[in-house]
């Protein structure tokens, strides 16, 4: 049953990727390949700082995530936490619903210390990042997008989707803070339903609930600090957008750059489940650039520039993942007192073939 479910999910994932690639090809065909290439010739080496800006933002995101970790994970070297985060982000880009990377981060943290605290750090970290996105996009949009005209139906869809997401995030926060993640499974086990397998799961999830309650009790302000650091990191997106406008337009505006970034991030929040966001990211940037008057060609060029940035940092994250696995294997070999002779391989972070 589980194998059939895994196969069907893979088919859905593959079909989704094919459709999104088709959307990207359609965008390029409609807007014009020659016009797009002309934009990139004008951009030239300016693409390099556009890509590198994201690396600076990731440093601040790592500072934010560190506030979400409990001891002893919080005492890990900053570069190790940075690499674990980058590895998780890279895997998130290629897995449905952006969850594979969260599992990978938990596994990598668990290799250092207890698994319950590792899972807590991942869950609180994800919550802090999404809360930072929602707060920044909501507040920023009020000041930059109030006069922007979007295609019919887009505003209602954005507002409705964001409201549902906000309610979900608030609920997730309350579940974490009061240790209620396993309330349903504990209710079932208390009535002697499910057998030993469910009892084992109940013990593990109760450990996580206890660790979450302990985190919010011992670090009551750290979620706020994490959100602030993430907001700083996210703000580099406006700088990146402004630099793109500076390189390709005669009248760059920091206000319009902020509006484009807020609108694009708003779309990203509501389409996070689409693997890699192929086609969707590019299409939403076309909508955003059109909305503020810069045109479809610049919007598509910016979307593809962001795609190249994503590929670069995903590659860096996968290198981080490989180095962390190698270090773990070498440490285990040293601890066992034997030379490291086993072949190197990547484990599946999603736990399925």
């Amino acid at each position: 049953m589980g194998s059939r479910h895994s196969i069907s999910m893979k088919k859905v994932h593959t079909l989704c990727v094919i459709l999104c690639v088709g959307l990207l090809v359609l965008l390029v065909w409609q807007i014009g390949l020659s016009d797009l290439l002309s934009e990139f010739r004008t951009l030239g080496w300016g693409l390099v700082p556009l890509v590198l800006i994201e690396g600076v933002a990731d440093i601040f995101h790592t500072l934010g995530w560190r506030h979400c970790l409990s001891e002893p994970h919080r005492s890990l070297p900053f570069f190790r936490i940075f690499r674990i985060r980058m590895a998780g982000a890279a895997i998130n880009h290629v897995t449905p619903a952006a969850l594979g990377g969260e599992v990978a981060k938990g596994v990598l943290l668990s290799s250092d210390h207890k698994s319950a605290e590792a899972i807590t750090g991942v869950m609180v970290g994800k919550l802090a990042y999404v809360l930072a996105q929602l707060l920044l996009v909501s507040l920023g949009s009020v000041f930059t997008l109030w006069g922007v005209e979007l295609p019919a139906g887009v505003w209602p869809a954005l507002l409705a989707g964001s409201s549902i997401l906000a309610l979900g995030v608030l609920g997730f926060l309350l579940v974490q803070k009061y240790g209620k993640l396993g309330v349903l499974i504990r209710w079932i086990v208390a009535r002697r339903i499910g057998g030993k397998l469910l009892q084992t799961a109940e013990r593990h999830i109760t450990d996580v609930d206890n660790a979450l309650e302990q985190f919010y009790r011992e670090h009551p302000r750290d979620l706020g600090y994490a959100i602030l650091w993430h907001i700083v990191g996210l703000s580099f997106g406006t700088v990146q957008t402004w630099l793109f406008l500076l390189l390709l337009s005669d009248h760059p505006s920091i206000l319009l750059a902020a509006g484009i970034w807020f609108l694009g991030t708003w779309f990203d929040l509501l389409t996070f489940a689409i693997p890699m966001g192929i086609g969707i990211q590019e299409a939403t940037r076309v909508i955003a650039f059109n909305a503020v008057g810069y045109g479809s060609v610049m919007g598509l060029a910016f979307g593809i520039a962001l795609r190249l940035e994503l590929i670069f940092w995903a590659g860096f994250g996968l290198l981080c993942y490989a180095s962390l696995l190698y270090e773990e294997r070498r440490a285990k070999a040293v601890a066992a007192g034997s030379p490291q002779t086993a072949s190197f391989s990547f484990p599946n972070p999603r736990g399925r073939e």
Side-chain angles (χ1 to χ4, degrees):
M1 186 71 175
S3 177
R4 289 180 181 177
H5 178 69
S6 175
I7 292 172
S8 64
M9 285 302 295
K10 283 185 176 180
K11 288 181 178 179
V12 171
H13 186 196
T14 302
L15 178 62
C16 186
V17 170
I18 291 172
L19 290 174
C20 289
V21 170
L23 173 61
L24 179 57
V25 172
L26 180 64
L27 280 171
V28 173
W29 178 72
Q30 285 190 332
I31 292 173
L33 180 60
S34 59
D35 290 338
L36 183 63
L37 291 176
S38 176
E39 293 287 87
F40 273 98
R41 281 193 292 268
T42 304
L43 184 60
W45 286 100
L47 181 63
V48 174
L50 284 175
V51 170
L52 296 181
I53 284 173
E54 182 61 26
V56 178
D58 284 322
I59 294 173
F60 290 96
H61 290 313
T62 304
L63 289 169
W65 188 37
R66 192 170 206 165
H67 278 283
C68 301
L69 302 177
S70 303
E71 293 294 351
H73 297 107
R74 188 176 295 206
S75 298
L76 290 173
F78 179 83
F79 186 56
R80 182 170 182 82
I81 297 175
F82 177 77
R83 287 188 297 154
I84 291 174
R85 186 188 174 279
M86 295 301 292
I91 295 169
N92 269 342
H93 288 316
V94 295
T95 54
L99 294 177
E102 306 310 309
V103 176
K105 286 193 287 187
V107 171
L108 291 169
L109 282 175
S110 297
S111 67
D112 290 294
H113 300 288
K114 293 187 292 183
S115 61
E117 281 73 14
I119 295 171
T120 297
V122 172
M123 291 178 65
V124 177
K126 189 69 173 179
L127 176 68
Y129 186 80
V130 176
L131 276 171
Q133 282 185 306
L134 276 172
L135 286 172
L136 189 58
V137 169
S138 300
L139 294 175
S141 297
V142 170
F143 294 101
T144 61
L145 297 177
W146 58 270
V148 170
E149 293 186 8
L150 292 174
V154 173
W155 273 125
L158 285 175
L159 293 172
S162 299
S163 299
I164 293 170
L165 180 62
L167 289 173
V169 171
L170 179 60
F172 191 41
L173 171 60
L174 295 175
V175 165
Q176 285 189 14
K177 187 172 182 179
Y178 296 106
K180 300 300 182 182
L181 195 66
V183 64
L184 178 60
I185 193 172
R186 284 191 288 271
W187 183 86
I188 294 173
V189 169
R191 282 150 183 79
R192 302 182 183 279
I193 303 172
K196 291 184 177 180
L197 183 62
L198 202 61
Q199 290 175 8
T200 301
E202 185 268 338
R203 286 195 297 271
H204 288 305
I205 202 167
T206 298
D207 287 341
V208 173
D209 273 340
N210 291 335
L212 283 167
E213 281 191 288
Q214 183 179 356
F215 173 84
Y216 284 104
R217 185 173 60 252
E218 296 180 354
H219 307 283
R221 298 179 181 177
D222 277 36
L223 179 63
Y225 293 145
I227 291 171
L228 288 175
W229 280 121
H230 282 310
I231 286 175
V232 174
L234 290 166
S235 298
F236 278 86
T238 298
V239 177
Q240 185 182 49
T241 309
W242 177 82
L243 178 59
F244 180 84
L245 295 179
L246 178 66
L247 293 169
L248 290 184
S249 71
D250 296 328
H251 304 290
S253 165
I254 191 66
L255 188 63
L256 289 180
I260 290 169
W261 185 86
F262 290 134
L263 192 54
T265 304
W266 210 343
F267 285 123
D268 291 342
L269 274 169
L270 302 182
T271 58
F272 71 94
I274 298 173
M276 297 179 282
I278 296 176
I280 303 299
Q281 178 176 262
E282 290 78 8
T284 54
R285 269 50 184 192
V286 169
I287 294 173
F289 271 72
N290 272 326
V292 299
Y294 277 112
S296 300
V297 179
M298 282 186 66
L300 182 56
F302 186 62
I304 293 176
L306 293 180
R307 174 72 50 202
L308 295 174
E309 170 216 288
L310 187 153
I311 292 170
F312 176 85
W313 288 109
F316 176 80
L318 291 176
L319 288 176
C320 290
Y321 189 41
S323 70
L324 289 163
L325 293 177
Y326 173 76
E327 290 170 9
E328 182 181 346
R329 179 165 298 208
R330 186 175 62 178
K332 288 180 178 178
V334 171
S338 61
Q340 186 177 349
T341 56
S343 59
F344 182 83
S345 62
F346 286 93
N348 190 329
R350 288 175 284 173
R352 61 177 187 263
E353 296 299 323

